[in-house]
Amino acid sequence: MFPTTDGISNIISDTMKVVFQRRLVDRVLRLWKEMAHREPFPRRDQIEPAMLGVDWLNCLVIAVKSPVRLSTFVYVGENLSFTRCPDESLAGVLLSHLPQVLSERRCLMIEGLTRLRDLDILYRSALYPLAEDGIAIDHVLGAANYRPLRENEDSIAPFVRTKWL
């Protein structure tokens, strides 16, 4: 009596797939979830650069230390590093949110407006916990991308908005 699939449902489903393929943070989250399987967190060695393709240039890996301020970057993708002024990079912005991820033990998306190398930018990033034993977070995978503000966009004071994934 009713068709097995509705044309509108297919259109909506296909549209959602395209939308979620566009965002770097969503593509990395999907890979992170696939690698985690039934564990709370995937292992660092499960996240291979080849799996991320060109997105790897927008990723970083942080080795978690105790106390947290001693944590270090194991890898910083070419699009996130700024060798002359590491404090003025998106990698530094992500590192500042590491304590939140460790205390909540969840993935965190961070969006904001900031100044980077004398340029006002809008960015979207995320941090994804990793654990060798599936429980104790020993590394964190990060992903971020940005764009310069357009002329018609206000260059207001920096803002940050976070969302748990």
Side-chain angles (χ1 to χ4, degrees):
M1 181 189 277
F2 294 104
T4 56
T5 58
D6 177 68
I8 295 293
S9 296
N10 288 338
I11 292 170
I12 291 171
S13 176
D14 292 345
T15 302
M16 292 304 290
K17 287 176 188 173
V18 169
V19 167
F20 284 116
Q21 286 291 329
R22 288 183 44 214
R23 283 182 155 182
L24 169 71
V25 296
D26 292 325
R27 291 190 304 268
V28 176
L29 178 62
R30 187 171 28 264
L31 173 69
W32 183 88
K33 285 180 175 179
E34 287 173 12
M35 295 299 106
H37 295 291
R38 291 184 177 92
E39 296 292 326
F41 310 112
R43 297 183 320 273
R44 178 179 170 226
D45 65 358
Q46 288 179 285
I47 309 296
E48 296 180 22
M51 298 167 91
L52 289 159
V54 296
D55 287 341
W56 187 242
L57 298 173
N58 288 56
C59 290
L60 57 81
V61 178
I62 302 167
V64 176
K65 306 284 187 214
S66 182
V68 177
R69 63 180 163 75
L70 297 178
S71 297
T72 58
F73 293 109
V74 175
Y75 168 79
V76 178
E78 186 178 315
N79 294 341
L80 300 183
S81 66
F82 189 54
T83 54
R84 289 177 286 149
C85 266
D87 292 337
E88 294 183 18
S89 68
L90 275 179
V93 171
L94 267 69
L95 188 60
S96 70
H97 292 279
L98 184 60
Q100 288 176 274
V101 172
L102 297 174
S103 67
E104 290 290 324
R105 301 180 52 77
R106 297 166 59 184
C107 298
L108 178 67
M109 183 170 70
I110 308 111
E111 299 175 308
L113 173 69
T114 193
R115 191 152 187 83
L116 183 65
R117 295 179 236 152
D118 299 323
L119 184 67
D120 290 325
I121 65 162
L122 191 61
Y123 68 91
R124 178 176 289 124
S125 59
L127 293 170
Y128 313 89
L130 304 172
E132 186 63 34
D133 63 1
I135 299 168
I137 300 170
D138 52 14
H139 288 83
V140 173
L141 173 66
N145 54 7
Y146 65 95
R147 68 166 174 79
L149 283 182
R150 297 180 185 110
E151 285 185 29
N152 62 345
E153 291 178 306
D154 290 331
S155 178
I156 57 173
F159 82 90
V160 175
R161 177 175 50 215
T162 60
K163 174 184 172 187
W164 295 108
L165 300 176

